[in-house]
Amino acid sequence: MSTATPSAEAARAAAPSPLRKPLSTIRVPQPLVLVIFGGTGDLARRKLIPAIFRLWQQKLLPEGFAVVGVAREQMDDEEYRRRMKEGLAEFATAPTDDEWAAFGGRLFFGSHVFDDEEGFERLKAQLKEVDLEFGIPSNRLFYYAVPPQVVDEISRDLGRAGMICPPEYPCWTRAIVEKPFGRDLESARELNTALLEVYDERQIFRIDHYLGKETLQNMMVFRFGNSVWEPLWSRNHIDHVQITVAETVGLETRADYYERSGALRDMVQSHLLQILTLVAMEPPASYDADSVRNEKVKVLRAIRPMLGEDIDRETVRGQYTAAGDARGYRQEDGAAPESRTETFAAVRMQVDNWRWAGVPFYLRTGKRLPAKATEVVVSFRPAPHPVMDVVENERPAPNALVLRIQPREGISLFFEAKVPGLAGRLQAVSMDFDYATAFRDAESPEAYQRLLLDAMLGDATLFARRDEVEAAWTLVTPILERWEASGEPEGYPAGSWGPDGADRLLGEDGRAWHQP
Ligand code: BG6
């Protein structure tokens, strides 16, 4: 096989450039204290402490590193360490005695912080002590693993106590804010305004854990690290795009949160729209936080807004009902017997720009569906003219590219092939890339590992910017309001692929959902 000699221009483009940022950075951050508000919560135990521990095992944390968990309960450091160790054993891997002896002593608990006005002064003093013990120059990463209603209060208290280093100071302060980022456009704006009273935008890291998933980071490599897809990646060749995030779990123990949220707020406003932006964005000039996020915001702003009756036509909401052994949503612990909270949402969106005009994006997500699967299906236009006669009016099926985000991470390209034999039949076959076989020896880090490390390094590429979050809420809020003002979600039996309306949404366009 002959390999083409790269042109001088291609060689120049491939040369290292000081302007180009690497895809991901493996550097040890500067010494810091990570302060987790909501330090005893589910997220801290299941995700944050395991991710931190894994980074520590991989020697990616600096010598000067400590965690201070903050919550309303009362306990001492020893009790906090015990709980976090238990969490590691339950949700990740139990540390060995040696590991715990070296790591456990870096965890502290901040009791009494919310007791009275001096609470944050006490936290400040505690952090100073930790700084002294570990040689940390007052660098802070504040993780808000708390409901949005308390984010502004905590921020103001931190500001009042003089605990936020402005960007021009030698020490740094950064804030990671968990979703849900508000509950509609207005509350998201208020939250942004409150945060920006004490932080600079460059200090705020709005987290969407989907962006930390390997397969979604690969979406940009797939699109912009290869040249074969780009000529196909537009209305000229793509018929439509489907984005599915299916879950088998139901409400679990989250009624307090979920009853006030529902699938549209919980999943579409954040994860599904983020996936859509990665599929639809223009190539950024470089892989830095501003260039990437500028392109993502342009996509969100190009999505056609829906108002009034458009919403009834373009969206579907569902709620799972009892089936077999599975309870219906309304029978779940903590759900109201008449609850109208949707556990399934499907939306047809149009991205009104040059690249995507006329290409529908169908989004769906739901709980208690038959499989846990996140995938993007890019369905290409059918072959324009039937050159050959095939059996019984069989027409070649359109080509499709399926990007499996999780599980069975990989990418498959479906195309038509002739079934061997005299009958002249066609059959769709696939070319498959599968992470597990292609990268046998590579470990996929947990999303939170990637994102925590990036925030410690000050890299916001995989975090949402203010305008991005607000653009997403601008699209979703009118749908929420219309749903709240009218009707009920359509029932679907637990364990099915959602309400009939979801099939009708594609059926009326002559299309059908790809089942993962
Ligand atoms: C969270 C939602 O953001 O994402 C949950 O609040 C959902 O309702 C979860 O279950 C899904 O995440 P993953 O990584 O398991 O697909």
Side-chain angles (χ1 to χ4, degrees):
M1 194 175 87
S2 73
T3 43
T5 319
S7 66
E9 197 185 333
R12 248 195 320 278
S17 150
L19 296 177
R20 260 199 313 266
K21 183 181 142 281
L23 177 63
S24 56
T25 321
I26 310 189
R27 258 189 297 122
V28 174
Q30 292 167 347
L32 75 142
V33 183
L34 168 66
V35 180
I36 307 176
F37 295 106
T40 52
D42 233 30
L43 185 74
R45 283 180 345 113
R46 278 174 191 263
K47 299 285 182 191
L48 304 183
I49 298 293
I52 290 294
F53 180 64
R54 189 74 193 108
L55 289 172
W56 176 83
Q57 281 182 317
Q58 292 170 309
K59 306 206 173 353
L60 287 170
L61 295 183
E63 210 20 69
F65 177 80
V67 177
V68 177
V70 175
R72 289 188 189 276
E73 315 160 54
Q74 306 288 326
M75 73 181 87
D76 58 15
D77 295 337
E78 281 316 314
E79 170 63 10
Y80 187 61
R81 288 170 188 162
R82 195 188 58 72
R83 286 206 202 176
M84 295 303 121
K85 189 178 177 197
E86 260 176 31
L88 278 174
E90 193 177 343
F91 302 114
T93 38
T96 63
D97 289 346
D98 285 351
E99 283 176 331
W100 195 246
F103 179 81
R106 293 172 182 274
L107 304 184
F108 299 88
F109 187 68
S111 277
H112 310 295
V113 172
F114 300 106
D115 286 358
D116 51 40
E117 285 214 333
E118 273 79 58
F120 277 75
E121 290 297 337
R122 282 195 294 274
L123 177 63
K124 187 175 171 182
Q126 183 182 12
L127 297 184
K128 273 275 148 241
E129 275 174 34
V130 175
D131 280 352
L132 278 177
E133 185 175 340
F134 292 92
I136 298 170
S138 301
N139 294 333
R140 309 276 182 256
L141 180 57
F142 293 123
Y143 201 116
Y144 292 79
V146 288
Q149 333 45 303
V150 290
V151 171
D152 59 343
E153 194 183 312
I154 294 176
S155 305
R156 257 182 247 122
D157 286 336
L158 288 170
R160 247 196 307 269
M163 294 173 72
I164 298 176
C165 265
E168 57 281 8
Y169 278 37
C171 56
W172 54 256
T173 306
R174 296 182 192 126
I176 301 185
V177 188
E178 258 299 329
K179 71 175 270 282
F181 196 88
R183 48 177 290 106
D184 53 19
L185 178 58
E186 195 187 335
S187 57
R189 279 191 177 138
E190 280 167 12
L191 190 51
N192 275 324
T193 307
L195 285 166
L196 287 161
E197 271 168 26
V198 292
Y199 296 104
D200 181 273
E201 175 65 33
R202 284 166 296 168
Q203 296 174 291
I204 305 173
F205 291 69
R206 297 173 192 80
I207 198 164
D208 181 315
H209 78 279
Y210 266 56
L211 292 179
K213 290 185 191 279
E214 274 294 326
T215 38
L216 278 179
Q217 292 170 60
N218 188 49
M219 179 82 81
M220 281 212 246
V221 176
F222 178 78
R223 287 194 53 202
F224 308 133
N226 296 294
S227 60
V228 291
W229 310 116
E230 175 55 23
L232 303 177
W233 213 258
S234 74
R235 64 189 304 276
N236 295 328
H237 296 282
I238 293 177
D239 175 72
H240 74 278
V241 176
Q242 299 181 12
I243 300 175
T244 293
V245 182
E247 297 188 278
T248 51
V249 293
L251 179 60
E252 299 181 290
T253 51
R254 302 169 74 213
D256 263 3
Y257 158 72
Y258 202 82
E259 272 285 89
R260 286 179 294 116
S261 169
L264 197 65
R265 280 194 179 92
D266 185 42
M267 301 294 286
V268 177
Q269 185 276 336
S270 48
H271 310 322
L272 278 92
L273 282 175
Q274 283 292 341
I275 299 175
L276 187 155
T277 60
L278 293 174
V279 176
M281 70 195 272
E282 294 300 312
S286 82
Y287 188 70
D288 62 77
D290 272 332
S291 309
V292 169
R293 296 185 299 175
N294 287 346
E295 297 307 333
K296 288 166 68 189
V297 172
K298 282 188 214 161
V299 173
L300 291 169
R301 293 204 174 132
I303 295 175
R304 190 179 305 165
M306 285 177 223
L307 291 171
E309 285 169 8
D310 296 347
I311 296 172
D312 306 338
R313 215 174 30 245
E314 306 298 324
T315 70
V316 175
R317 61 181 148 153
Q319 188 188 69
Y320 62 82
T321 54
D325 292 339
R327 283 190 285 185
Y329 180 78
R330 292 177 178 181
Q331 290 89 53
E332 298 274 26
D333 297 335
E338 311 274 286
S339 174
R340 291 168 56 208
T341 303
E342 81 283 357
T343 60
F344 179 99
V347 187
R348 174 171 44 210
M349 289 184 157
Q350 306 287 343
V351 182
D352 284 336
N353 63 17
W354 191 282
R355 188 186 284 268
W356 295 113
V359 178
F361 283 70
Y362 301 98
L363 278 52
R364 71 171 164 171
T365 181
K367 297 215 182 269
R368 283 265 187 265
L369 300 188
K372 168 137 180 102
T374 300
E375 65 170 34
V376 175
V377 178
V378 177
S379 186
F380 291 91
R381 287 178 182 278
H385 169 69
V387 174
M388 66 283 282
D389 253 352
V390 284
V391 175
E392 293 157 13
N393 295 327
E394 212 175 38
R395 294 291 306 265
N399 303 133
L401 188 66
V402 178
L403 296 114
R404 289 188 305 278
I405 312 299
Q406 63 183 17
R408 293 193 303 112
E409 290 79 358
I411 299 174
S412 297
L413 178 64
F414 289 88
F415 59 96
E416 290 294 281
K418 178 181 177 302
V419 179
L422 301 176
R425 297 195 70 102
L426 302 187
Q427 185 182 311
V429 293
S430 67
M431 288 198 286
D432 299 307
F433 150 61
D434 173 38
Y435 274 75
T437 38
F439 302 121
R440 250 179 248 285
D441 302 324
E443 179 194 334
S444 277
E446 273 283 313
Y448 280 96
Q449 262 173 268
R450 167 83 271 151
L451 296 174
L452 277 162
L453 183 61
D454 281 359
M456 290 182 212
L457 292 168
D459 182 350
T461 313
L462 300 178
F463 292 84
R465 207 167 54 189
R466 173 184 191 156
D467 47 358
E468 204 176 337
V469 168
E470 291 182 8
W473 278 120
T474 302
L475 292 164
V476 162
T477 303
I479 306 177
L480 287 170
E481 286 170 352
R482 178 108 182 153
W483 284 4
E484 268 155 33
S486 61
E488 298 233 338
E490 205 181 320
Y492 63 95
S496 71
W497 277 109
D500 294 343
D503 291 330
R504 275 200 304 275
L505 191 70
L506 269 75
E508 65 198 25
D509 295 345
R511 300 176 177 122
W513 291 104
H514 176 265
Q515 298 311 16

